[in-house]
Amino acid sequence: MAVWSFFARALRSSAINTAHRPNRSRTLLPLVPFTSSYRQALPFTSTATFSANKQTPSPVSPRASMATSQSTSGSYTTAFALFEALWEAGITACFVNVGSDHPSIIEAIVKGKRERPDSWPRMITCPSEVTAISMADGYARVTGRPQAVLVHVDVGTQALGQGIHNASVGRAPVFIFAGLCPYTESGELPGSRTEYMHWLQEAPDQKAIVRQYCRYTGEVRTGLNIKQTIGRALQFASSTPKGPVYVASAREVLAQEIQPYSLEQDQWVPIGPSALPADAVQNISNALVQAERPLIITGYSGRDRRTPELLVALADLIPGIRVHDTGGSDMCFPFSHIASEGFRLSSDDCTKDADAILLLDCDVPWLPSRNPPQKGAKIYHVDCDPLNQQIPVSFFPAHGRWKAESFTALTQLVDHIKSDEVLTKTLQDPKYAARRDARAEIHNARLVNIASQPRLGDQELLNAHNIGMLLKNSLPDSTTFVVEAVTASQILFDQLQPSQPGSWINCGGTGIGWSNGAALGVKMALEDLEKEGGNKPSLVCQIVGDGSFMCAAPSTALWVASKYKIPILTILLNNGGWKAPRNSTELVYPSGLNKSASDEEINISFRPTPNYAALAEAAAGSELGWEPTSENADAWMKGVRVRTVADFSGALQQATSRVIKEKKGMLLEVLM
């Protein structure tokens, strides 16, 4: 047995140290930074070779499906290959929270920063893991591309908390990498256990902590296939329904020295878009055209910024059709269009009288106990996940379900209706013009009613109605709103009336505190798009309730914003605690004790409330000195408390100048 152990260890040592063998030349290739499309492959521009020990170059044996990578001085470890693989795959940012399982990771990060700063992911230090995953989530909401999150062992994985739920339910692609406890304890291999905690952090199945929320979980057991494992994980993350993926590896594996290599990225692309079959296109088109009260219910279709325009084209083709947004996750259909029924959390009465319904990328189209469709309504469901495979109880009926991309399916429907002679002739019937006129009257009346709600006198106290209207009238049309206002979100949607693709981003999930990090990720993504020349500068405005703000490491998010100079405007709605639990209780017990109970009795009160404006200034850092921010014009973060319309209007004027022109952060705490 001892002899076998000796040979096994010798063989393993040989495999680990192949990077230092002489006369092994490798081709130098430029690492391609990500441009406009996911993991785009560009032609090679260099074929120079050299030997590891500076001897005469020798030919490189071809690898199936691989190309040798850019070399660096010193050892090439699994950990270094990890970050190289992320960069090669188009990931430009890593939101990191390092720990004792990351020695090789830390060495690799420093090596990459020093040797190849222009072809290495940007490292963003996040003292809280929920901030890290929320920032990556927010970035993906804008670009559709995953970014990386680095956490450590089981405790860091657990600290992702509600963020992993939000990315999963909200269909946001995120790549998560975690270390594992060393599996050797007596120095048998580099990376073996060296500290007390290495015995305490070894979970029986660390991946199980997040497996039910992930599209893929995997483990790197050898550096020889680290890039393949990452490539496979990213394929899952970026294939619809998109979502988080999780890969882990032990210290010994991360310390393993290997030969540099790269994958052919054009062979590691995600699944392409799927389309509707011909009979489905015909059936859905016929049902929508022939219905008297057709309705489209959507939730996520606006994630693809091309889709709202197509949905408008479909609504214009079928006068009288209505479009209802149940999730508020993205701006799916412009509020300004006469077909818009606005945003309600699946509770609008428009579902009750519809006789033909198209469900389009929607998890919860209605609440069966409150507003189900009428019997006899024809229902068709088109979604990248029409069975809601991660929701065990989901019984929404449909006469047809198809797994297809919204953009592709809508393109098919619009083209079919335009080209079908029978449908075209049917739509010429005067009743369709009358339906259009009726919808225009209803929509205009709705706009008038919404406009009548805000009270805008200077001394009026603030509420969701006048806050929303003042934001709409004061901030640029190009503003991107990242909204987590819970009980106030539907009123804010009515007042803000988002009509531009990407102008409204909501969580989609239910883990509160998402927007603290997500707003920063959204701003980072928009700035990256601006650098690529595809976007104009955009103000990011986070609107968050105090209950949500408190729930996910707000001081960490504020500190990260300050450290990395990510300027956003935060509107914090301070109504003294949580309101949603009271509403939920009343729905179940409409005449219960909750009706007469105080907020203190229900345990939803945050009073006395924190001074969030002061917290923002304190958390952002104070290297400038001890004086209050109001007395120091150079401070990066400014916090202001407002109570009246006049206060808020004046603060918004200051905010637009500060955040847009000076590129500094500002938090307005609205006392409600």
Side-chain angles (χ1 to χ4, degrees), residues 594-644:
N594 66 91
K595 296 292 289 185
S596 59
S598 67
D599 287 354
E600 289 290 344
E601 286 184 283
I602 301 178
N603 293 101
I604 60 174
S605 172
F606 284 6
R607 302 190 188 280
T609 68
N611 185 329
Y612 297 104
L615 171 66
E617 295 184 357
S622 57
E623 291 186 8
L624 293 167
W626 292 100
E627 66 271 22
T629 301
S630 57
E631 301 173 12
N632 194 324
D634 294 327
W636 191 86
M637 171 61 73
K638 183 176 181 62
V640 176
R641 300 185 106 182
V642 297
R643 190 183 298 273
T644 66

Side-chain angles (χ1 to χ4, degrees), residues 284-297:
I284 296 172
S285 299
N286 289 343
L288 293 177
V289 170
Q290 295 169 5
E292 293 296 324
R293 300 280 295 168
L295 175 67
I296 299 173
I297 303 177

